[in-house]
C-alpha cells in the first residue's frame, strides 16, 4: 500500500470512528430516555436496561452507518481541500479517481458489513430486545418475544395444503393438535388429524393419527386410517417457512408498512409457500425484497455523492460539509420513502422502487465528480 493511501485511510477512519462512536452513544442515550416510561412499565432493572441498550445497538448502527460515513467523508475531503492537499496531489499527476480509491474501498467494505448486519445480526438483536422487554411483564402485542402460538393456520398454495395448528412451539417446531387438508392426485380430499407432530430428519412425523378421505366437497367424510405414528415426507413445509409465515402474517399489512423490516430469508421462505400472491401483496413483498438488497449499497452511493461535494477546490468552512450531509440525508430519505410507497402501491416496478434512490444519487455523484476541477 502506498504511503498516500495509508494517509488517506487514516484521515478518513479517524473522524469516522469518532462520529460513529458519538452517534451510537447519543442514539442509545436518546432512545433509553425516550423509552424510559416503557422500561419502567416493564419493570426492568439496571442490568436489564444495560442489556437492552446493547440489544438496540445493531439496529441503530444500521441506520446511522451511511450517515456517519457521509459526514466523515465530507469532513475529510473539505479539510483536505481547505489545506490545498487535493490540489497538490493532482498537481503531482494523481487523478481524482486514484485519490478516491481508499474511499471506495471503505464504502464497499461498509456496504458488505451493513448487509451482514442487516440480515444476520439485526433480526437476532430485535428478538433479543423483545425478550428483554417481555422478561417480567408481557403484553398481548409482544409477537417477537412469543415462542408459542395457538390456533394458528396457514395455506401452502404451492403444495395445495391447508394447515391448522392448535399450538405451535417456535423453538422446537413441535405441533399440538395439527390438522392438514390436501387434495390427492386422484382428485379426492384428504384430512389428517393428530395429537402431536414434530419434524425429525427433515420429515414431519405425526402421532396418534386419524386420516379421513372425501371423494369431493359434497361427499361424506370416510375414515381411512388410524395409527400411532405416521411419517409424511410429502409434507415439505419447513420450520423456517412456518416461522416466516408467522412473522409476516403478524404485520398488520404488507402494504401499510414501508420499512424494510423483513429479512431476505423470511421473504424467500414465505414466497415458497405463497407463489401466487395477490398483485398488491406481491408488489409490497418484492419491494421489501429488493429494498433489503439495495439498502446496504447506500454506503457506496455516499462515497460517490461526498466526493464532488467535498473535493471542490478553494478554502471552505468545515461546517459546509456538515450542512451538505444534512441536506443530502434529507433528500435521500424523502426519495427513498416516496419510491418505496410507489413500489408497495404497484405504481413502480419493485426493483426500480427499491433501487431508485441509489441509482439517482449514484448517477448524480458520477456526473458531479466528472465536473470537479
Amino acid at each position: 500500500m502506498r504511503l498516500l493511501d495509508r494517509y488517506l485511510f487514516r484521515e478518513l477512519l479517524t473522524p469516522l470512528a469518532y462520529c460513529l462512536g458519538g452517534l451510537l452513544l447519543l442514539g442509545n442515550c436518546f432512545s433509553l430516555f425516550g423509552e424510559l416510561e416503557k422500561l419502567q412499565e416493564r419493570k426492568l432493572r439496571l442490568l436489564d436496561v444495560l442489556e437492552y441498550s446493547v440489544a438496540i445497538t445493531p439496529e441503530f448502527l444500521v441506520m446511522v452507518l451511511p450517515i456517519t460515513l457521509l459526514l466523515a467523508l465530507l469532513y475529510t475531503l473539505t479539510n483536505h481541500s481547505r489545506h490545498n492537499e487535493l490540489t497538490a496531489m493532482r498537481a503531482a499527476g494523481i487523478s481524482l479517481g486514484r485519490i478516491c480509491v481508499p474511499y471506495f474501498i471503505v464504502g464497499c467494505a461498509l456496504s458488505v458489513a451493513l448487509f451482514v448486519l442487516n440480515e444476520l445480526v439485526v433480526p437476532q438483536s430485535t428478538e433479543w430486545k423483545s425478550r428483554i422487554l417481555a422478561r417480567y411483564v408481557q403484553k398481548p402485542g409482544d409477537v417477537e418475544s412469543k415462542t408459542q402460538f395457538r390456533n394458528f393456520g396457514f395455506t401452502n398454495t404451492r403444495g395445495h395444503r391447508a394447515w391448522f395448528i392448535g399450538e405451535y412451539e417456535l423453538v422446537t417446531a413441535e405441533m399440538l393438535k395439527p390438522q392438514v387438508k390436501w387434495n390427492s392426485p386422484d382428485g379426492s380430499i384428504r384430512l389428517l388429524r393428530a395429537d402431536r407432530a414434530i419434524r425429525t430428519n427433515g420429515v414431519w412425523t405425526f402421532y396418534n393419527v386419524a386420516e379421513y378421505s372425501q371423494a369431493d366437497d359434497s361427499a361424506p367424510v370416510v375414515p381411512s386410517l388410524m395409527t400411532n405414528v405416521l411419517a409424511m415426507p410429502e409434507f415439505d413445509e419447513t420450520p423456517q417457512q412456518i416461522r416466516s409465515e408467522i412473522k409476516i402474517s403478524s404485520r398488520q399489512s404488507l402494504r401499510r408498512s414501508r420499512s424494510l423490516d423483513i429479512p431476505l430469508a423470511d421473504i424467500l421462505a414465505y414466497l415458497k409457500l405463497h407463489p401466487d400472491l395477490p398483485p398488491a401483496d406481491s408488489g409490497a413483498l418484492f419491494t421489501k425484497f429488493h429494498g433489503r438488497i439495495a439498502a446496504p449499497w447506500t454506503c457506496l452511493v455516499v462515497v460517490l455523492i461526498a466526493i464532488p461535494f467535498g473535493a471542490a477546490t478553494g478554502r471552505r468552512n468545515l461546517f459546509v460539509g456538515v450542512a451538505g450531509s444534512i441536506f443530502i440525508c434529507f433528500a435521500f430519505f424523502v426519495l427513498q420513502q416516496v419510491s418505496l410507497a410507489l413500489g408497495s402501491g404497484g405504481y413502480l416496478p419493485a426493483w426500480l422502487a427499491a433501487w431508485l434512490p441509489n441509482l439517482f444519487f449514484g448517477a448524480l455523484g458520477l456526473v458531479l465528480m466528472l465536473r470537479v476541477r
Side-chain angles (χ1 to χ4, degrees):
M1 186 182 295
R2 295 175 58 180
L3 181 63
L4 178 62
D5 292 329
R6 291 199 295 269
Y7 172 71
L8 293 175
F9 271 121
R10 186 177 68 249
E11 291 296 305
L12 172 62
L13 295 179
T14 300
L16 179 63
Y18 281 119
C19 289
L20 189 59
L23 283 178
L24 286 178
L25 182 60
L26 288 175
N28 275 357
C29 292
F30 182 79
S31 179
L32 289 177
F33 279 114
E35 298 180 356
L36 188 59
E37 184 177 351
K38 180 174 71 173
L39 298 178
Q40 289 176 340
E41 289 178 358
R42 299 288 188 150
K43 302 187 184 301
L44 297 185
R45 300 159 187 168
L46 177 60
L47 292 180
D48 299 319
V49 173
L50 294 177
E51 185 181 356
Y52 181 81
S53 67
V54 175
I56 65 176
T57 299
E59 188 175 0
F60 189 72
L61 178 60
V62 167
M63 182 176 62
V64 303
L65 192 56
I67 301 173
T68 304
L69 178 60
L70 177 62
L71 186 62
L73 271 171
L74 288 173
Y75 174 87
T76 302
L77 288 168
T78 303
N79 203 28
H80 287 322
S81 181
R82 286 180 69 242
H83 294 90
N84 296 316
E85 293 178 341
L86 294 178
T87 303
M89 295 176 198
R90 299 181 70 180
I94 305 174
S95 66
L96 181 61
R98 177 61 186 86
I99 294 171
C100 296
V101 166
Y103 304 147
F104 285 111
I105 292 175
V106 172
C108 289
L110 291 182
S111 293
V112 174
L114 201 60
F115 181 82
V116 174
L117 279 172
N118 223 12
E119 292 302 313
L120 300 180
V121 180
V122 171
Q124 299 295 327
S125 66
T126 302
E127 294 181 3
W128 182 21
K129 177 184 72 174
S130 300
R131 288 195 299 270
I132 295 172
L133 287 175
R135 183 169 291 170
Y136 305 110
V137 177
Q138 294 187 359
K139 295 186 177 181
D142 295 338
V143 177
E144 295 291 344
S145 62
K146 290 176 62 177
T147 60
Q148 291 183 346
F149 294 84
R150 298 178 183 274
N151 299 324
F152 169 66
F154 68 95
T155 300
N156 180 354
T157 56
R158 176 177 52 84
H160 305 287
R161 284 185 293 273
W163 291 67
F164 181 81
I165 306 167
E167 184 175 328
Y168 183 74
E169 174 58 49
L170 200 63
V171 178
T172 61
E174 182 179 2
M175 302 177 182
L176 297 180
K177 301 297 182 183
Q179 298 182 31
V180 187
K181 187 176 182 180
W182 74 102
N183 294 326
S184 298
D186 59 3
S188 63
I189 302 172
R190 297 174 64 186
L191 175 64
L192 183 149
R193 293 175 179 171
D195 288 343
R196 188 170 68 95
I198 192 167
R199 191 170 177 85
T200 306
N201 298 325
V203 177
W204 286 108
T205 304
F206 297 83
Y207 299 90
N208 298 328
V209 183
E211 188 174 317
Y212 305 86
S213 62
Q214 191 177 12
D216 52 54
D217 291 330
S218 59
V221 178
V222 179
S224 58
L225 176 67
M226 293 189 70
T227 182
N228 293 331
V229 181
L230 178 64
M232 298 294 291
E234 60 267 35
F235 291 177
D236 57 357
E237 292 83 355
T238 64
Q240 172 64 29
Q241 292 172 348
I242 298 176
R243 185 185 185 94
S244 69
E245 178 75 28
I246 293 172
K247 283 188 174 183
I248 294 179
S249 63
S250 66
R251 269 67 175 185
Q252 290 183 350
S253 172
L254 289 172
R255 284 166 286 178
R256 291 179 193 171
S257 176
R258 291 193 294 271
S259 60
L260 306 176
D261 53 355
I262 306 175
L264 291 177
D266 290 336
I267 295 176
L268 290 174
Y270 187 83
L271 289 174
K272 287 182 179 179
L273 290 178
H274 306 281
D276 300 319
L277 286 172
D281 288 343
S282 175
L285 198 59
F286 277 104
T287 298
K288 290 177 179 291
F289 178 82
H290 289 287
R292 296 287 292 193
I293 301 175
W297 297 104
T298 305
C299 291
L300 190 57
V301 175
V302 158
V303 177
L304 290 171
I305 280 291
I307 290 172
F309 272 82
T313 56
R315 292 183 174 272
R316 302 170 62 194
N317 194 302
L318 290 177
F319 289 102
V320 172
V322 178
S325 66
I326 294 174
F327 173 77
I328 294 169
C329 290
F330 178 77
F332 186 92
F333 176 78
V334 170
L335 180 59
Q336 184 188 54
Q337 295 304 307
V338 171
S339 63
L340 289 176
L342 292 175
S344 298
Y347 300 101
L348 281 179
W351 69 269
L352 180 60
W355 287 94
L356 182 60
N358 288 354
L359 293 175
F360 176 79
F361 280 93
L364 179 63
L366 283 174
V367 171
L368 294 178
M369 186 175 173
L370 293 175
R371 299 182 61 182
V372 172
R373 295 290 184 265

